[in-house]
Amino acid sequence: MPRIPESELERLKTEVSLLRLIQSQGHTLAKRGKDWSMRCVFHEDATASLVVTESKNLYHCFGCNAAGSVLDWVMKTQGVSLPHAVQILKTGAPLEGARIGVARSQMRHLAPLVAGDVPSGGTAAATHDQGAQGDPSDQSAPALQALLAQVVGSYAANLKTSPEALAYLQERGLDHPELVEHFQLGYANKSLTYRLPPGHTQGGRAVRSQLQALGVLRETGHEHLNGCLVVPVVGLLEGATPAHAGQVLQLYGRRIAPNRQIAATYAKHLYLPRPLRGVWNEAALVAHKEIILCEALIDAMTFWCAGYRNVIAAFGVNGFTQDHWQALKHHGTRRVLIAYDRDDAGNLAADRLATELLETGIETWRVLFPFGLDANDYARKVQPAAKSLGLLLQQADWLGKGKRPGVVVSEPAPLEVPTAPAAPVVKTAAAKQKKSSTAKPEPTPVEPPSLAAVPVPVCVSVPAPELPPLPASTHLAQATPMQPPITAPVAAPVAAPIAQANSKGEFLLSLGTRHWRIRGWQKNLAPEQMRVNAQVRTEASEGAKGIGSTEAAYYVDTLDMYSAKQRAAYVKQAAVELGVCDDSIKRDLGQVLLQLEALQDAAIQAALAPQNPVPVLSNDEH
C-alpha cells in the first residue's frame, strides 16, 4: 500500500474526536476535572483507571499503561492494521464494541463487495486463458461486470477521501469540478481488500476468485492497481460495440509515486491483465466528426479540462487498437488531429498511424508540442491551457497530400457538458452523491462541434488577447496550474503604436504587449537595403489571483527586412518563442518596416544635403 502521508495521520488524530468515538461504542465516561474517566477495556479494571484527555485527544490507562491517539484506539479495540484503521475513520464506518483479544478483526467495517452467481466454468481458471482472460463477453459477464462495477464505485469513493490522489490531480491540472464525476475517476489504496469477506468463508473465496478472473487481484491476493489513480474505460450505451454497451472494458492505472525511488522501481502505467478493449470518451465520436487523438489518458483529460471535449485516447504509443478503428468507422469520423507526445517514440507512432488514417480517407493533422513535451506538460507550463492548446490545434501540420484544407476557427464559448455519459457504468453510492451545495455554479468550457469550429484563439483583423509566452524547450518555466472554469477570451482594444529612439540610436516601438528594439538601421543608406538586428519581447504579467500569469519571453535575430524569405522565417520562430500566432508578429513587422522606411528616407535626405552650404549674403554684405 502507498505510504500514508504523515499529514493525513495527523489530520485524523486532530479532527476525529476520541471522546465521541468511545461513546459511540457504548462506553460510559465520567467527568473528572478537565478529563473523562472510564474502566479500561484492555485489562480487568474496577477503579476506572483509563483517562481520556479531550483537549489533547489522547487516552491513557494508569493501570496497564495503554495509551495513544484515536488511531491507536481503533487498531487495538478492533484488531486491525494502521491502514485499515485509517480507512475506517476516513469513511466514518460504524465501529463495533471493544474486540480485545482478537489478533485480526473479522469485521470488515466497510461496505463489502458481494460476489455474483457465476455459471459453471466462470471461475478464476479463466485468468490463465490468454484469449478469454476475464473477457466480459463470456457467459459469466453479468456476474463479473456487476463485481467490476462495485470495484469502480469503491475506487471512486476512495478518491474523494484521499488527499494524495486529489493533490496529484491538482498538480497535473486535472482538478476540473466535473472530471471526476463524469469519468468515474478513482484511487486504489488497498482498502478494497478490507471490503472482502474473510478468505476462509465460501463467499470470501468466491469473490476473490472472481476478482482474480477480472485481473483486479493478482494471484498473491494484492490489488493489481494498488497506489494508482484509476480511470475506467466504458463501452458507450450505443457505441461501435453494442454487445459491450455500458460495460467496464478496462481500467487504466497511473501510479502516484511519493518519491523517486518508488517511481523508478514500479511501472507508472498499468492496465488490467486482460485485452485492451473499448474507447475512452467514445461519446465524443458520436457528437463530432473531428477528433483529437492523444497517446495517453492523462493528456486526453487535459484537453477535456481545457474545453476540448472532442478527444479520445489510445492505450499508449502503440495502443491504437481494432476497437479504435471500428469506432472511427462506425461513427463516421472525418478528421483526426494526432496529439501524441513530441518525442522519438511519439513521432514514429504518429507518422505510422497518420499513413494508415490517410489511406482510409480520414484527413489527418499532427499537433506539434515543443520537443520533449506532451499535452499535459505543455498545458501546465503555458497558461491558460485553453488558449495555448487551442493555438497548437490551429497550427497543426497537415499530413495529407496537396493543399492543406481550409479551417475556419471560432472563439471558445461556454456550453453545458455533453449529455452523453462517458461512464454509464455503475450507479454506486459514490456516483450518486450530490455536489456540494456551497459550490458556486461555474460555466463549462465549450465542446467544439467540429474542426471547422474548433474553439481556439484566432488571429483576425482586430487583434485578439495575446497568448502567454511559450518557453524554449530547453528553458521550461513552471506556470500556475489551470484553475477552472475556462471562460471565453475577450478581445483586447487595439493599442496605438508607441515609437521612440534612445540615446544609443536604437529604434524602439511598442505594439500592445510586444516591445520591439531595432539596431543598425542607420547603416542602411540605400533605398533597396534594410538589414537590421530586430528584437521583440513580452514582459512578465500576473493575472487575477495568479490565474493566467505569464513570464517574460523574447526573440532576437538579424534579417533583411526586404527579404520575404527572411521575414517569414523570423515571423515563424518569433511566434513560437513568444507563444503568439504568426499573424500578430507579421502585422507588427509591417509596422516596424513602415517606421524604418520613414527614418531611412529622412537619413538619406540628411546624408545628401550639402555639408557646408554657401552663405547667402544680404545686399549690404554684398
Side-chain angles (χ1 to χ4, degrees):
M1 178 177 184
R3 182 177 179 273
I4 302 174
E6 192 66 29
S7 59
E8 177 68 4
L9 297 178
E10 293 300 323
R11 184 183 69 83
L12 291 174
K13 292 178 183 179
T14 303
E15 294 182 1
V16 179
S17 171
L18 176 61
L19 177 63
R20 289 197 294 270
L21 178 66
I22 294 175
Q23 290 173 336
S24 69
Q25 291 181 288
H27 299 293
T28 302
L29 296 95
K31 186 72 171 177
R32 182 186 296 176
K34 295 182 179 179
D35 301 329
W36 299 79
S37 63
M38 60 174 283
R39 291 183 179 183
C40 181
V41 298
F42 303 108
H43 76 285
E44 294 294 335
D45 186 15
T47 59
S49 55
L50 188 142
V51 175
V52 177
T53 304
E54 188 175 11
S55 60
K56 297 182 179 179
N57 213 33
L58 298 173
Y59 71 90
H60 180 264
C61 178
F62 291 95
C64 65
N65 286 326
S69 66
V70 63
L71 288 170
D72 299 299
W73 180 271
V74 174
M75 287 190 291
K76 291 180 180 180
T77 61
Q78 305 300 302
V80 297
S81 63
L82 175 62
H84 196 162
V86 169
Q87 290 300 320
I88 291 174
L89 293 177
K90 286 170 64 175
T91 57
L95 293 174
E96 299 293 331
R99 297 179 56 83
I100 310 305
V102 180
R104 181 174 181 82
S105 175
Q106 299 303 320
M107 300 300 295
R108 296 291 83 186
H109 303 296
L110 303 175
L113 296 182
V114 180
D117 295 331
V118 183
S120 60
T123 66
T127 306
H128 304 286
D129 184 355
Q130 189 66 24
Q133 187 175 12
D135 193 333
S137 63
D138 66 14
Q139 60 181 349
S140 61
L144 291 179
Q145 276 295 317
L147 185 59
L148 189 56
Q150 295 179 63
V151 172
V152 171
S154 177
Y155 287 162
N158 289 343
L159 177 64
K160 297 176 182 179
T161 59
S162 300
E164 64 272 25
L166 295 174
Y168 178 80
L169 288 176
Q170 184 175 15
E171 176 190 349
R172 300 303 294 264
L174 301 177
D175 50 348
H176 191 281
E178 297 171 357
L179 178 71
V180 173
E181 290 288 346
H182 191 69
F183 292 107
Q184 284 283 291
L185 303 191
Y187 181 50
N189 59 359
K190 198 179 178 181
S191 64
L192 185 69
T193 58
Y194 304 148
R195 299 181 183 272
L196 303 182
H200 65 271
T201 65
Q202 182 178 0
R205 289 192 297 270
V207 69
R208 284 172 172 80
S209 176
Q210 293 184 17
L211 289 175
Q212 289 180 9
L214 290 167
V216 174
L217 292 185
R218 298 176 180 176
E219 293 183 358
T220 59
H222 297 295
E223 289 183 56
H224 181 66
L225 301 178
N226 185 32
C228 292
L229 173 74
V230 179
V231 184
V233 178
V234 183
L236 193 65
L237 289 178
E238 296 180 359
T241 53
H244 298 160
Q247 294 185 357
V248 182
L249 303 176
Q250 253 298 347
L251 294 182
Y252 164 73
R254 176 57 168 90
R255 193 176 300 281
I256 302 174
N259 55 54
R260 293 184 179 180
Q261 183 178 0
I262 293 181
T265 304
Y266 298 97
K268 290 183 179 179
H269 310 278
L270 292 173
Y271 292 93
L272 294 183
R274 55 196 284 122
L276 297 175
R277 303 301 306 272
V279 178
W280 178 85
N281 194 29
E282 190 179 346
L285 298 173
V286 179
H288 310 287
K289 300 304 179 185
E290 293 78 28
I291 292 297
I292 303 167
L293 172 64
C294 292
E295 174 182 325
L297 281 168
I298 296 294
D299 295 331
M301 290 190 292
T302 301
F303 274 101
W304 196 93
C305 290
Y308 304 98
R309 304 298 166 83
N310 57 330
V311 60
I312 62 174
F315 295 106
V317 66
N318 296 315
F320 195 81
T321 66
Q322 278 301 120
D323 279 14
H324 289 93
W325 283 111
Q326 185 178 359
L328 293 182
K329 180 180 179 180
H330 178 79
H331 298 295
T333 301
R334 299 174 184 171
R335 299 176 176 178
V336 172
L337 288 88
I338 303 177
Y340 280 14
D341 297 358
R342 187 77 183 280
D343 53 23
D344 294 338
N347 292 338
L348 182 62
D351 292 343
R352 182 170 58 250
L353 178 59
T355 301
E356 297 173 355
L357 288 170
L358 290 168
E359 288 176 353
T360 62
I362 298 177
E363 298 176 0
T364 310
W365 281 261
R366 175 73 162 107
V367 180
L368 296 177
F369 303 101
F371 192 80
L373 295 185
D374 57 27
N376 186 260
D377 293 332
Y378 180 80
R380 286 184 292 142
K381 294 179 184 298
V382 186
Q383 296 284 322
K387 295 171 67 177
S388 60
L389 291 175
L391 176 63
L392 293 186
L393 293 175
Q394 172 69 17
Q395 297 180 341
D397 280 2
W398 162 242
L399 301 181
K401 296 181 180 179
K403 185 178 179 182
R404 183 181 190 273
V407 178
V408 180
V409 182
S410 62
E411 299 286 347
L415 279 180
E416 295 182 357
V417 178
T419 56
V425 298
V426 198
K427 297 183 178 180
T428 62
K432 293 181 179 179
Q433 290 179 351
K434 295 183 178 180
K435 297 182 180 178
S436 172
S437 58
T438 59
K440 183 178 179 180
E442 295 176 335
T444 305
V446 155
E447 195 170 332
S450 66
L451 184 60
V454 178
V456 297
V458 54
C459 303
V460 292
S461 57
V462 178
E466 297 304 334
L467 291 170
L470 173 61
S473 59
T474 55
H475 298 285
L476 295 170
Q478 290 294 336
T480 305
M482 181 196 69
Q483 300 291 334
I486 303 165
T487 56
V490 180
V494 180
I498 302 175
Q500 58 180 333
N502 58 20
S503 58
K504 299 179 182 179
E506 299 171 335
F507 171 67
L508 306 178
L509 181 64
S510 294
L511 296 168
T513 60
R514 294 177 297 280
H515 308 286
W516 292 81
R517 185 202 68 193
I518 308 298
R519 290 176 174 173
W521 61 271
Q522 305 95 328
K523 301 178 182 179
N524 300 285
L525 297 180
E528 68 279 0
Q529 179 183 359
M530 188 62 73
R531 186 170 183 80
V532 297
N533 178 274
Q535 180 199 83
V536 58
R537 63 182 176 86
T538 58
E539 297 178 350
S541 65
E542 187 70 23
K545 300 182 180 180
I547 301 175
S549 59
T550 63
E551 295 188 0
Y554 76 96
Y555 178 70
V556 61
D557 198 1
T558 300
L559 76 156
D560 186 352
M561 298 287 284
Y562 286 152
S563 169
K565 184 176 181 180
Q566 293 185 29
R567 286 200 313 272
Y570 186 95
V571 166
K572 183 175 182 179
Q573 190 59 33
V576 171
E577 295 294 340
L578 271 63
V580 300
C581 55
D582 293 1
D583 285 356
S584 296
I585 301 297
K586 186 176 181 180
R587 286 195 299 270
D588 285 5
L589 211 56
Q591 291 280 353
V592 171
L593 180 57
L594 290 175
Q595 298 277 358
L596 289 177
E597 286 181 333
L599 290 174
Q600 184 190 54
D601 290 342
I604 291 175
Q605 293 297 329
L608 295 178
Q611 299 299 321
N612 296 308
V614 177
V616 179
L617 302 178
S618 65
N619 291 332
D620 294 340
E621 291 172 337
H622 182 74

